[in-house]
Amino acid sequence: MNQSNDTTIKITYGKNHQARYIAHLDTIDIICKALRRLKLPYIVSQGCHIRPKITFGSPLPLGHASRCEQFIISLARPVDPDWLKNNLGDCLPAGMDVIKVEQPAPDETKGANGDLVTYLLGFSELETATRAMEFLNNPETSFSQLSKGKVKNYKIGNACQSIKCFEHLSPVLIEAEFVQGQAGLPSVSKIITALADSLAKKRDNLVKIERISLIKL
Amino acid sequence: MNKITDKITHWEWLKIAKPARYMGGEVNQTEIKTNPQLRVCLIFPDLYELGMSNLAIKIFYEILNNQPEIMAERAFSPWVDLETLLRKKGLPLFSLETATPLNVFDALFISLPYEMTFTNVVNLLDLSNIPIRWKERNSGPLIIAGGPSAANPLPVSTIMDAVLIGDGEEAIVEICQKLLQGKSSGSTISETRKSLKSIEGMWVPQFPDKVKRRIFTDFSKSTPPEKLLIPNVQTVHNRAPLEIFRGCVNGCRFCNAGFYYRPKRERNVDCLAQSARRMLENTGEESLGLLSLSTSDYSQLPDLVSKLEENKIYPEQKISIPSMRMNENTIKLLKNHKGALTFAPEAGSQRLRNIICKNVTEKDIFDVIEATRDINYRTLKLYFMMGLPFESQDDLDAIVELVKKIEYISKKMKPRKQISISLSGFIPKPFTPFQWCKQASMDELKNKRITVNQGLRNTRARLSWRDEYLCMLEAVLSRGDESVSELIIAAHKAGCRFDGWNELFNRAGWEKAFKELNFEPEHFSQQFSLEKMLPWDFIDFQVPRSFLESEYQKAAEIAGESIS
């Protein structure tokens, strides 16, 4: 196949409401079907099992909302980004929407050394938000979780890079920036699960978990 | 609207495996109608992954939601984790589209594809706070079942308000019309049940009478469902299903489906090609499944396949043919084959294949395997049955011999093929020529399985088998009479559900139920007399009993035995 006119396009999409519970691999499957329905001129991989050439971002943990999920697709010819934005959304299930369609930066698809991820955490009461601030803000915070049948111990360390609280909002919001994908650091998914565990019965006061930005390092 | 799903917290959902199974919102889901005149729920009594692959659910979902006054939603069996949570919180089971409790609907249409889902049906009703027996229900939704496992409706007769015997495409609309009439005239539940009796194919346990199997005669002219739901969780069959014909002409004497779906009705090639196009455009599915009981028997299969290949919509589009017979059509298709090859010779010897009317010869089998010499597939899966009527020790030995010969041929092929053998016990199903036959006991089946297993000891073939207890249980559930209903209810009470799932099968629960009701399973696995009426003989199956008898007679003649 002549790929001289190949072009790539980056699509940013959101997952909210019930779509938060669609797993990463199922999301990929749904997006591939949506791209086929649009008859997009995507390039396919070579080999036995041909697939559209798509690069997806870091998996979103199950149950987390997001407004910064991304994938980059290789196309045989350019398509109108506005047309794609308007039509792709109609091919996605309830709770998924297309936020932005744009040209990727030249080095966008290169290998990354971890991610800088920003989350918004919403709390129905200030007291729980304050406990969460203390949990996340302390590099000495440690927790254990089951991983592949074994109990593993983790320490937050410098995984949480910055954190601020918007007390006047309802729900009370915490904006926290995490580094993940680096040796020795627990993933955001593990940290938030540990936070919820630490809140015990108050965990239902954690009413919003949303990834709002993801930058590859 | 008060949604049940909102009463489960985020953290509770995260403890549930694959929560997206229960949330709906899939692409192509029906629009939520405000105040429809009739609200029904289509139920598949197993997990979402299986139910969303079921063709009947797709057909009825499209037919019913195309009626402006009807809204049809879906519900599936919850896995044990969600069931435990619902019971703990005192919440009822709910539909996917609007998370409405099932007891609020006007009717529940339950598909019964296999007998091992019967306890799940009881569980669904129990979880929805709906009384399990029709006699206990004076209000609430009508519970109506259909599907191949309801061919003999007696085992579910205490539970269901009505059972549809046969094809449902036309009948389901007629049922809804009766329900609408009943609603507008303020009929009692008993009056509504009675009104359903006038629909061809409907059997109403409160007013038991003769019933004629419903046949959808316009199948050939009908359009398959084209705007299919796109599941939010990977299903067992990840493909767009195109039913190319219904029925089967092979007449295998053990096969329930072969008789249930008679007569053979083919859809036209051009119409199928157009439907396939629309289906793929609406779903974006990578694979198009050509469905039927025996796809290689479609009279214009090569023409259809070449039309579909010529009009590919996207580059990675594939055609999957899940049900192939070893014949010439199959060989022509195999040149493009990629996945595992699966065939069901059912018996090892030509004598027994003739007895069961499985029209496959050893040469057919070898021809197909030879034809796949240069094809890059790795697994060859073969299905066999044990305990078939008139089976001898030589027939069992013939399974071993046949597998050895196949292995010898496939040794020379590259890549080397893994031969996988699946053994299952014969179950005498109602409305087949072998409906009178005795089922081999569990011990006999076990010994037969051990014989085959030992015979294959020095081969590389992988052997799997169906548990003998499950075979016995399936015979009880398919050949049973009214008393089996109470057995199913007792088994559910003893903790049985998901009986088709090895990890959840509760043999102790079934044994407790048998004991509690003083129930002899052997009563339903014994030889039935040709002189006597069978429990299900009140059904006009549109395949005369005399024909089934003559087929049984032919089988006996081949075996050199008498059936009188």
Side-chain angles (χ1 to χ4, degrees), chain B residues 23-37:
Chain B
M23 308 235 170
E26 300 96 329
V27 177
N28 293 337
Q29 183 179 282
T30 186
E31 59 167 312
I32 309 297
K33 293 172 187 163
T34 45
N35 297 322
Q37 289 172 47

Side-chain angles (χ1 to χ4, degrees), chain B residues 250-264:
Chain B
N250 292 307
C252 302
R253 294 185 175 116
F254 56 86
C255 179
N256 168 260
F259 291 91
Y260 182 82
Y261 290 109
R262 282 192 172 200
K264 186 184 177 194

Side-chain angles (χ1 to χ4, degrees), chain A residues 59-117:
Chain A
L60 180 70
L62 196 74
H64 292 198
S66 172
R67 54 172 109 144
C68 60
E69 295 312 289
Q70 293 174 349
F71 64 92
I72 294 171
I73 180 158
S74 304
L75 300 171
R77 56 176 190 278
V79 294
D80 176 12
D82 289 336
W83 173 86
L84 185 55
K85 182 172 184 275
N86 293 334
N87 288 282
L88 182 58
D90 294 340
C91 298
L92 297 175
M96 279 177 74
D97 59 331
V98 179
I99 294 166
K100 211 167 18 172
V101 177
E102 62 192 330
Q103 286 292 320
D107 58 348
E108 191 104 38
T109 55
K110 285 183 186 162
N113 183 22
D115 303 319
L116 187 64
V117 197

Side-chain angles (χ1 to χ4, degrees), chain A residues 164-184:
Chain A
K164 53 188 168 187
C165 185
F166 301 91
E167 294 176 8
H168 57 287
L169 295 176
S170 177
V172 178
L173 287 182
I174 288 177
E175 188 182 304
E177 203 173 59
F178 300 92
V179 175
Q180 70 170 10
Q182 291 183 356

Side-chain angles (χ1 to χ4, degrees), chain A residues 18 20-22 26 29-30 33 36-37 39 42 44 49-52 62-63 91-94 196 203-204 206, chain B residues 9-11 13-14 19-20 23 25 27-28 230 232-234 238 281-286 313-316:
Chain A
Q18 72 252 58
R20 286 176 297 166
Y21 300 104
I22 302 175
D26 291 327
D29 196 44
I30 288 166
K33 285 175 185 165
R36 287 190 205 111
R37 291 179 72 199
K39 296 182 184 163
Y42 52 78
V44 290
H49 190 189
I50 54 173
R51 310 277 303 167
L62 196 74
C91 298
L92 297 175
R203 70 176 180 176
D204 287 334
L206 174 47
Chain B
T9 68
H10 172 76
W11 300 102
W13 276 124
L14 286 187
M23 308 235 170
V27 177
N28 293 337
I230 302 174
N232 280 346
V233 173
Q234 282 246 348
N238 208 11
E281 283 171 346
N282 286 332
T283 60
E285 287 285 1
E286 184 182 348
I313 306 175
Y314 23 84
E316 66 273 41

Side-chain angles (χ1 to χ4, degrees), chain B residues 12-24:
Chain B
E12 285 168 335
W13 276 124
L14 286 187
K15 295 241 185 246
I16 302 295
K18 302 186 186 179
R21 279 171 181 163
Y22 309 105
M23 308 235 170

Side-chain angles (χ1 to χ4, degrees), chain B residues 476-524:
Chain B
V476 172
L477 296 177
S478 55
R479 276 179 131 196
D481 56 21
E482 293 91 338
S483 63
V484 173
S485 271
E486 288 304 323
L487 177 76
I488 296 165
I489 295 168
H492 169 260
K493 205 173 154 195
C496 298
R497 58 234 330 96
F498 286 103
D499 295 316
W501 293 72
N502 285 342
E503 64 267 49
L504 290 186
F505 182 68
N506 180 353
R507 181 169 172 169
W510 277 102
E511 282 171 349
K512 189 178 170 201
F514 279 121
K515 203 170 167 188
E516 208 174 280
L517 299 182
N518 233 344
F519 205 97
E520 295 290 333
E522 294 75 21
H523 177 68
F524 295 101

Side-chain angles (χ1 to χ4, degrees), chain B residues 204-242:
Chain B
V204 180
Q206 190 181 353
F207 305 101
D209 208 346
K210 291 192 170 174
V211 60
K212 189 174 175 183
R213 178 170 66 94
R214 186 70 181 256
I215 296 174
F216 180 33
T217 46
D218 278 345
F219 174 84
S220 307
K221 291 181 229 154
S222 69
T223 311
E226 292 173 347
K227 204 173 177 193
L228 304 169
L229 286 153
I230 302 174
N232 280 346
V233 173
Q234 282 246 348
T235 55
V236 287
H237 296 141
N238 208 11
R239 63 191 178 210
L242 183 67

